[in-house]
Amino acid sequence: DPTECDFELPDLCGWKPDELHDFDWRRLNKKTPSSFLQTGPSYDHTYGKNGSGYYMYIETTGRTENETARLLSPVYDAELAKNGCFIFYYHMYGRGMGGLRVYQKPDRVPMYQLLSSSKRNNYLLFEQWGDQGNEWYSSASMLTDVDDDFQIVIEGIRGNSFMSDIAIDDVSIQRGENCTKAMLHHHHH
């Protein structure tokens, strides 16, 4: 089901890095390389503590502040945005934590326009900044029916130190009742 991904397979269900950014999201199934320094998750969300599941993360060691890493979903059919929502799990642990943004990018909108500071909020589904502690949180956002095929864009922004590893897992596009339930149970932090 291409509308859901747990990142357990190397093909990432068709999600891929954006060519036009500073560095990449990587796939990992153990602690992030700098986790001994109190940053990043120590296990994935899908299988939890005793599993060896995979998640996507940005390793911020050696990067500079405000550099971004973007991950793009496959292109989804416009229909899915009607009464649809995007659900995912995120982990933002580290003293120098930056930010995480999720956008719904209509096919007809070029990436540079989506990311321009004046237009950005039109497409933003989710935004979170700063250290959220060593745990996974869920987020559910209603999609906008823009009558255009669309992609989900997940953007990690590096914070002011290498202690800003961000991880995401278990992304999905749901519709109808699943969205209503998720919106009730998942609060925004």
Side-chain angles (χ1 to χ4, degrees):
D1 184 350
T3 56
E4 295 188 13
C5 197
D6 56 15
F7 301 117
E8 295 307 314
L9 298 174
D11 68 0
L12 309 182
C13 325
W15 285 71
K16 55 183 191 299
D18 177 12
E19 262 67 275
L20 304 167
H21 63 173
D22 306 317
F23 65 113
D24 280 342
W25 286 86
R26 316 224 304 258
R27 182 171 160 270
L28 193 67
N29 72 335
K30 48 188 188 301
K31 298 178 159 102
T32 59
S34 39
S35 66
F36 64 96
L37 300 162
Q38 278 84 56
T39 183
S42 38
Y43 51 87
D44 100 308
H45 178 266
T46 317
Y47 295 110
K49 214 164 275 191
N50 301 318
S52 58
Y54 285 84
Y55 57 88
M56 298 299 292
Y57 86 109
I58 58 171
E59 163 66 56
T60 49
T61 307
R63 312 306 318 186
T64 55
E65 189 168 4
N66 292 329
E67 280 194 313
T68 59
R70 281 189 299 274
L71 194 62
L72 311 181
S73 76
V75 176
Y76 296 118
D77 196 277
E79 270 304 295
L80 288 173
K82 295 178 177 31
N83 200 15
C85 61
F86 177 68
I87 299 176
F88 77 111
Y89 290 81
Y90 64 95
H91 190 288
M92 297 174 74
Y93 174 49
R95 242 193 353 245
M97 186 50 66
L100 179 62
R101 293 192 188 113
V102 179
Y103 306 91
Q104 177 184 350
K105 179 190 166 307
D107 237 9
R108 60 173 168 258
V109 176
M111 185 65 82
Y112 72 87
Q113 194 177 318
L114 177 91
L115 299 170
S116 82
S117 46
S118 58
K119 297 260 175 29
R120 197 161 54 208
N121 288 349
N122 303 345
Y123 306 106
L124 203 58
L125 295 177
F126 168 92
E127 183 168 24
Q128 180 67 284
W129 289 83
D131 187 354
Q132 305 299 313
N134 190 8
E135 57 182 302
W136 287 97
Y137 289 106
S138 62
S139 160
S141 313
M142 291 310 291
L143 295 167
T144 316
D145 179 7
V146 285
D147 233 10
D148 191 6
D149 292 350
F150 64 94
Q151 278 174 302
I152 300 293
V153 179
I154 298 180
E155 181 181 55
I157 303 106
R158 188 197 191 273
N160 61 12
S161 89
F162 65 87
M163 293 178 68
S164 58
D165 294 350
I166 298 174
I168 56 160
D169 204 358
D170 296 332
V171 297
S172 67
I173 290 193
Q174 308 276 354
R175 291 179 77 186
E177 203 177 305
N178 286 355
C179 293
T180 319
K181 270 195 233 142
M183 301 297 284
L184 287 173
H185 295 154
H186 300 172
H187 44 282
H188 294 277
H189 297 266

